[in-house]
Amino acid sequence: MSYVNHADLGGREGFGRVFAETDEVLWHAAWEARALALSLAMGATGAWNIDMSRSARETLPDYAQLSYYQIWLAALCKLMIERGLVTEAELAAARVQVEPRPLPRMLRASEVSAVLAKGSPTTRPVAGRARFEIGDRVRTRANHVDHHTRLPSYAAGRVGTIERLHGMHVFADTHARGLGEQPQWLYTVAFDGRELWAEAAEPGSTVSIDAWDDYLEPA
Amino acid sequence: MSHDEHSDHDHDHSELSEMELRVRALETVLDQKNYIDPDALDVIVDTYQTKIGPRNGARVVAKAWVDPTFRDWLRHDATAAIASLGYSGRQGEHMIALMNSPQEHHMVVCTLCSCYPWPVLGLPPIWYKSAPYRSRAVKDPRSVLAEFGVSLPETTRIRIWDSTAEVRYLVVPMRPAGTEGFGEDQLATLVTRDSMIGTGLAAVRGPSS
């Protein structure tokens, strides 16, 4: 079954103007704020990781029709139902019907400030030399993969230049599939606008992405 | 009001209450299963409503404008420099500061979702998370900037940064002319949220704005 990422929007046409609200409020309804808080609180239990969250969101079949927090809510339910933490019937009835599953931890009110301030760094100890150095020319992986990845389609199979090394980071592609952190060297790769968009490119523009080692080959 | 307008109005209301009901149902079940502490939800909401927002980033920028040592620190280790002002953590664990200049204008996007430097800018605006910006910022940045009312000289190169991993980017806009002698607090008021994403410029506001 093919993995469809509905969120891979870079370079796609037809979405129209950017509409920016003046004095935009954080949340347009109280439920949106609760959806954010529920997502963060459940994420903090350790039942899944952020890469699994992103994967759950981007694969929602109605991604394009949902508002931002509707996406968060739908993905949260999907993640929990997949793990047997809740059932559809419970959510519909607003009533517990199935025994709770044990979770690694619960985020308490008194801990929120410290937990948010600490975050979840993805850097891991350096093991082995980086394959690439600043200035190296690299080509990104060209083929579509059947899983969560952070190489956008518009930057696939393109030649760019290593701009920065970020040390070793948890690898999103494996982390999202429950295959472990498998840290890899992370690089910023800079592409000439023309490499990505040919004559349509903004003259003199550069687009940079952050790419793990697995995405790259020497060019 | 036409019949169709009534239907749309009612539809909006019923969709809203449907979402409210779903979220409440979810919260009830999760609370009863002891997965969440409902008070923690209140703290999270309050944190992003009142404590973490673009005023944080504006302080970072203002300090960079007046203090060359801090600016240098920001260049070499933005995470540590920003943390020294008390801003750190979730979605800002690995920071890079991008310095705008007359030669180079930086713009930040997350084409794949909505990655954004929360500790310094708070939660992202809807436009940042939406398809028009995410699709066009990497391909046609100048027209996107025009829609924000930003017009750059043709000689200024535009650099777009797609936040594809956990590195988060903070744009340090250029210090506006005519601000010599302004204190840090006053300078911070000139730094808009959009100028730290790269869809705006810091400016001394005229009497009309």
Side-chain angles (χ1 to χ4, degrees):
Chain A
M1 179 115 145
S2 195
Y3 187 95
V4 180
N5 179 351
H6 302 285
D8 191 355
L9 300 183
R12 283 181 33 188
E13 299 285 346
F15 290 112
R17 293 177 63 91
V18 176
F19 172 68
E21 280 178 52
T22 24
D23 299 326
E24 183 185 316
V25 293
L26 269 188
W27 298 294
H28 289 71
W31 73 262
E32 292 192 331
R34 296 319 269 185
L36 171 90
L38 284 165
S39 298
L40 264 55
M42 283 307 297
T45 64
W48 55 76
N49 60 60
I50 196 169
D51 301 297
M52 292 171 175
S53 291
R54 294 197 182 110
S55 181
R57 288 175 196 155
E58 68 197 15
T59 51
L60 291 168
D62 48 355
Y63 182 93
Q65 284 74 48
L66 298 175
S67 70
Y68 184 72
Y69 285 110
Q70 283 177 331
I71 290 168
W72 276 48
L73 195 67
L76 174 61
C77 294
K78 180 160 105 174
L79 288 162
M80 292 189 301
I81 289 167
E82 272 172 3
R83 287 154 180 76
L85 302 184
V86 298
T87 66
E88 292 271 18
E90 288 180 316
L91 295 183
R95 208 178 70 243
V96 174
Q97 297 171 351
V98 169
E99 277 292 303
R101 292 275 174 98
L103 292 181
R105 63 196 86 94
M106 184 210 292
L107 178 66
R108 306 228 166 254
S110 58
E111 298 166 336
V112 169
S113 180
V115 165
L116 292 179
K118 185 173 167 220
S120 308
T122 49
T123 39
R124 295 296 180 263
V126 168
R129 293 190 54 191
R131 262 205 303 160
F132 302 109
E133 300 180 342
I134 292 174
D136 283 356
R137 298 284 282 165
V138 291
R139 177 176 285 106
T140 54
R141 182 193 70 215
N143 55 293
H144 173 83
V145 292
D146 253 6
H147 55 73
H148 178 71
T149 187
R150 296 293 291 187
L151 178 63
S153 297
Y154 75 82
R158 301 294 188 192
V159 176
T161 307
I162 300 288
E163 191 169 7
R164 192 189 288 256
L165 273 64
H166 294 283
M168 297 186 72
H169 280 252
V170 171
F171 184 35
D173 295 37
T174 53
H175 208 217
R177 285 179 283 163
L179 298 176
E181 295 190 341
Q182 300 200 32
Q184 296 189 0
W185 279 93
L186 182 72
Y187 309 89
T188 295
V189 179
F191 302 94
D192 193 297
R194 283 164 309 172
E195 168 69 6
L196 302 176
W197 318 114
E199 326 75 54
E202 158 70 23
S205 66
T206 305
V207 180
S208 294
I209 66 170
D210 294 320
W212 280 271
D213 201 271
D214 261 18
Y215 298 169
L216 307 173
E217 286 303 329
Chain B
M1 227 189 214
S2 74
H3 174 74
D4 285 341
E5 284 172 46
H6 265 302
S7 306
D8 284 349
H9 189 70
D10 290 342
H11 175 77
D12 283 347
H13 271 306
S14 57
E15 191 184 318
L16 183 62
S17 30
E18 189 200 318
M19 293 309 301
E20 291 281 354
L21 288 173
R22 272 161 66 179
V23 171
R24 273 184 221 179
L26 181 59
E27 196 174 321
T28 299
V29 171
L30 297 184
D31 182 15
Q32 288 174 2
K33 292 214 177 196
N34 230 30
Y35 293 154
I36 57 160
D37 170 7
D39 291 343
L41 305 182
D42 296 334
V43 178
I44 292 169
V45 171
D46 180 69
T47 300
Y48 289 106
Q49 190 124 57
T50 65
K51 296 190 175 50
I52 299 181
R55 292 300 96 216
N56 297 1
R59 267 193 72 206
V60 174
V61 170
K63 193 169 176 71
W65 284 347
V66 306
D67 183 343
T69 309
F70 184 78
R71 188 185 182 90
D72 235 31
W73 194 12
L74 209 50
R75 223 188 286 267
H76 293 118
D77 189 347
T79 310
I82 291 167
S84 78
L85 296 185
Y87 315 129
S88 69
R90 195 176 198 286
Q91 288 302 298
E93 297 93 340
H94 311 290
M95 293 298 306
I96 300 282
L98 304 168
M99 314 291 187
N100 278 359
S101 70
Q103 293 76 39
E104 244 179 15
H105 179 89
H106 301 286
M107 265 172 82
V108 182
V109 65
C110 177
T111 62
L112 294 173
C113 49
S114 59
C115 299
Y116 190 76
W118 290 18
V120 284
L121 295 187
L123 299 177
I126 292 179
W127 60 259
Y128 183 87
K129 307 183 281 199
S130 302
Y133 186 72
R134 286 165 54 191
S135 59
R136 291 170 52 219
V138 286
K139 185 167 181 180
D140 199 357
R142 214 172 270 268
S143 80
V144 169
L145 288 173
E147 285 169 11
F148 280 93
V150 175
S151 171
L152 300 172
E154 277 198 25
T155 48
T156 302
R157 292 178 55 241
I158 302 179
R159 298 216 48 181
I160 307 104
W161 303 77
D162 193 355
S163 316
T164 52
E166 295 301 332
V167 179
R168 296 288 168 265
Y169 294 95
L170 177 72
V171 174
V172 178
M174 287 193 283
R175 179 175 179 166
T179 60
E180 300 75 29
F182 281 31
E184 257 182 77
D185 286 351
Q186 192 180 6
L187 286 170
T189 68
L190 309 182
V191 184
T192 61
R193 187 266 316 273
D194 288 358
S195 72
M196 293 182 281
I197 300 171
T199 52
L201 306 174
V204 179
R205 313 262 209 283
S208 56
S209 43

